[in-house]
Amino acid sequence: MTLRQYELGGAELDVVKVLWDNGPATVRDVMTHLHNRGRRLAYTTVQTLLNRMEQKKFVSSNKSDLAYVYKAKVSRERVTKSRLDRLLNQMYDGAAGPLVLQLVKSEKLSQDEIEQLHKLVDELDSSGS
Amino acid sequence: MTLRQYELGGAELDVVKVLWDNGPATVRDVMTHLHNRGRRLAYTTVQTLLNRMEQKKFVSSNKSDLAYVYKAKVSRERVTKSRLDRLLNQMYDGAAGPLVLQLVKSEKLSQDEIEQLHKLVDELDSSGS
DNA sequence: GGTATCCTACTACAGTTGTCGGAGCATGGC
DNA sequence: GCCATGCTCCGACAACTGTAGTAGGATACC
């Protein structure tokens, strides 16, 4: 079997997001935050998820007096890039260009974003040619 | 468990890509194409993958004289969009803007792509404001 | 007509992921 | 000291995924 190991599933992702957004936290903290976000998971489920991610080295834990405190070990950026690269490789032959074009065409960018993009592209285009 | 059902795994994706690229094909055809692409899978593995995708309605099959011929039922665009949307939702709060900016900044677009983008953005910007 | 070849149908199995439950230890109040 | 509460440890189970073997029918070739 393809031992991919070291990628995050959807539920695991939800959990590590809490750590990214709120910093180090205990199982209970995470659970509470998830509840607030509408994701209701049992305490032990959250615990399992955190343990598994610790094994995969995505988070680390420190025993405080009261309970283990978990901390994200990988940045959101890193995980984002990894997933983006996967998508790029799987669906776009690894080329970002077509994806960008498609996104600009089909997805709705805000006026503000379009302007930023405009500026950015102006620079790139003039510096590149 | 979250019965997501109806999404494709990586191996399944590789298989349906063959159908997208080469049109309807038998198990053996698909296997051969995969071999050519460096993906060596047993005949029955390819068969299993095709069967599973048929159950998930991603492909359909027709019995020809010799063997079943499988055909993609979903377009590459549809699958791409579904995966892209998932990424967008999971990592970008569903907003395409930040992803576009990030891609344009960090990934290397070809000069050609930058120009296309430039044109596109010119249009959008003037029409939008 | 026997033998090699190919196809389908089933079954299997391990690893990953989502989800928990229960046992048992620690702690803080009463 | 006893009990409620909370925490950790382990085990479990089902669905999904990757991968393939086997059995048995059909075909085709000599």
Side-chain angles (χ1 to χ4, degrees):
Chain A
M1 164 89 137
T2 318
L3 295 196
R4 54 187 152 101
Q5 189 84 287
Y6 309 116
E7 254 320 327
L8 294 176
E12 291 173 331
L13 187 62
D14 283 344
V15 166
V16 78
K17 276 185 196 171
V18 170
L19 298 183
W20 286 331
D21 291 347
N22 301 94
T26 64
V27 174
R28 190 154 297 276
D29 290 341
V30 172
M31 190 183 74
T32 306
H33 281 295
L34 287 172
H35 277 207
N36 293 344
R37 297 179 183 194
R39 188 91 148 89
R40 275 183 283 86
L41 291 178
Y43 184 96
T44 50
T45 301
V46 176
Q47 191 183 30
T48 299
L49 260 10
L50 282 167
N51 286 338
R52 301 224 266 238
M53 283 195 286
E54 181 164 26
Q55 266 159 19
K56 299 185 195 171
K57 314 281 186 197
F58 280 92
V59 309
S60 62
S61 69
N62 271 59
K63 179 78 174 173
S64 92
D65 261 357
L66 324 138
Y68 280 104
V69 173
Y70 293 85
K71 189 161 93 76
K73 279 194 78 169
V74 281
S75 68
R76 180 173 188 125
E77 289 66 38
R78 203 158 158 49
V79 170
T80 299
K81 170 151 178 41
S82 151
R83 302 194 155 228
L84 173 56
D85 284 348
R86 189 144 42 99
L87 178 70
L88 242 20
N89 285 324
Q90 285 183 330
M91 306 308 299
Y92 296 90
D93 271 318
L99 172 55
V100 172
L101 270 325
Q102 178 185 325
L103 280 171
V104 174
K105 275 182 218 161
S106 70
E107 305 277 340
K108 39 276 146 217
L109 304 190
S110 74
Q111 197 52 40
D112 194 42
E113 285 162 347
I114 292 181
E115 272 163 39
Q116 277 183 67
L117 183 57
H118 202 164
K119 232 184 291 184
L120 190 56
V121 170
D122 273 347
E123 288 167 25
L124 280 182
D125 204 355
S126 53
S127 78
S129 55
Chain B
M1 162 94 139
T2 317
L3 295 196
R4 55 190 152 101
Q5 188 85 286
Y6 309 117
E7 254 322 326
L8 295 176
E12 291 173 332
L13 186 62
D14 283 344
V15 167
V16 78
K17 276 184 195 171
V18 170
L19 299 182
W20 286 332
D21 292 345
N22 302 93
T26 64
V27 173
R28 190 155 297 275
D29 291 340
V30 171
M31 189 184 72
T32 305
H33 281 294
L34 287 173
H35 278 208
N36 293 344
R37 298 181 183 191
R39 190 88 149 89
R40 276 183 282 86
L41 292 177
Y43 184 95
T44 49
T45 300
V46 176
Q47 192 183 33
T48 300
L49 293 172
L50 282 166
N51 285 337
R52 301 223 264 237
M53 284 194 287
E54 182 164 23
Q55 266 160 18
K56 298 184 194 172
K57 313 282 186 194
F58 280 91
V59 309
S60 62
S61 69
N62 271 59
K63 178 78 174 171
S64 92
D65 260 358
L66 324 138
Y68 280 105
V69 173
Y70 292 85
K71 190 161 90 75
K73 280 194 78 168
V74 280
S75 68
R76 181 174 187 122
E77 289 65 41
R78 204 159 158 49
V79 170
T80 299
K81 172 153 177 39
S82 152
R83 301 193 157 229
L84 174 56
D85 284 349
R86 189 144 41 100
L87 178 70
L88 244 19
N89 284 324
Q90 285 183 331
M91 306 307 300
Y92 297 88
D93 271 318
L99 172 54
V100 172
L101 271 325
Q102 176 187 324
L103 281 171
V104 174
K105 274 182 217 162
S106 71
E107 304 276 341
K108 40 279 146 209
L109 303 191
S110 73
Q111 196 52 42
D112 195 42
E113 285 162 348
I114 292 180
E115 272 164 41
Q116 278 182 65
L117 184 56
H118 202 162
K119 231 184 293 182
L120 190 56
V121 171
D122 272 347
E123 288 168 26
L124 280 182
D125 204 356
S126 54
S127 79
S129 54

